[in-house]
Structure formats: C-alpha cells, structure tokens
Amino acid sequence: MEMQPLLMNTPSDDDGDAELGVLTRARTKRPPLYKVMLLNDDYTPMEFVVHVLERFFGMSHAEAFEIMLTVHKKGLAVVGVFSHEIAETKVTQVMDFAQRHQHPLQCTMEKE
C-alpha cells in the first residue's frame, strides 16, 4: 500500500503564522490485469469460435467475426482484459465448453 501525504491547516498562532500538519491516507494499488487470448488451430470451426466470443465475451456477431478472423490469420488474438479471477473464470469456461463440444480450441491468459 502506498502512502500519500495530505496537508492539513491548523489554527493560526498568535503571530499569524499558520501551522501545517501532515496526515497520511492509505492508497490502494489497482490489481494487475490479465489478457485473455484465443489461439488458432486447424480443427475448431470458425462458427464455433464466433459463438464462444458472443457467449463468453459479450461480443456482437460482427465483433466476434472480426476477432475470429484475427485469430485465424495471426494465430491468436486478445479477446478481453480482466482482473485475475475473471480472466481465470473466462479461460476455464471457454476450455470446458470447447472440450464438451470436442473441439481443441485453446484459451490462455497472461499478465498485461
């Protein structure tokens, strides 16, 4: 936790000089964010990838289609940036869903 000073005015002395006191307040650090990525493979149908992006990442059909094409052409694409817990949940959901549908789609996460 980082401490940041705050200045506080105190009542004036008889000679008119104001005293300055220092208060500190705790400043919480933002938690690190994680990129969730989909990886290309030669077997998972493009329609399935679009469905995954719509279902688990809340994308419109057009957005999901664009990201799917990026995965297909470049080998991977970042599909979202989340806190650790949410990223981990998304990866697990996608991997479980792909496995249940017998597709080898891979989803990973890494610190941003």
Side-chain angles (χ1 to χ4, degrees):
M1 212 180 306
E2 187 180 318
M3 302 301 267
Q4 184 174 10
L6 293 174
L7 295 179
M8 177 182 75
N9 285 327
T10 57
S12 295
D13 291 338
D14 290 336
D15 60 3
D17 292 334
E19 259 182 56
L20 288 180
V22 177
L23 292 176
T24 57
R25 97 177 143 187
R27 198 166 158 197
T28 55
K29 272 179 122 178
R30 289 182 175 258
L33 295 177
Y34 291 80
K35 299 184 287 192
V36 175
M37 298 168 290
L38 284 183
L39 307 178
N40 189 44
D41 65 74
D42 294 331
Y43 304 101
T44 304
M46 292 179 173
E47 299 80 23
F48 183 79
V49 175
V50 170
H51 179 69
V52 163
L53 292 167
E54 291 170 346
R55 178 173 177 161
F56 298 106
F57 298 95
M59 294 183 187
S60 69
H61 187 75
E63 290 172 315
F65 191 82
E66 285 298 314
I67 296 289
M68 176 276 298
L69 286 177
T70 301
V71 172
H72 181 69
K73 291 175 184 174
K74 296 189 175 179
L76 71 103
V78 174
V79 296
V81 179
F82 309 96
S83 68
H84 185 270
E85 293 77 16
I86 293 173
E88 201 169 49
T89 300
K90 298 270 186 199
V91 169
T92 301
Q93 289 174 329
V94 170
M95 295 296 289
D96 289 349
F97 190 70
Q99 193 172 24
R100 279 198 313 272
H101 289 85
Q102 300 177 355
H103 294 302
L105 182 63
Q106 294 294 301
C107 186
T108 62
M109 63 187 261
E110 70 179 38
K111 203 171 193 175
E112 190 173 47

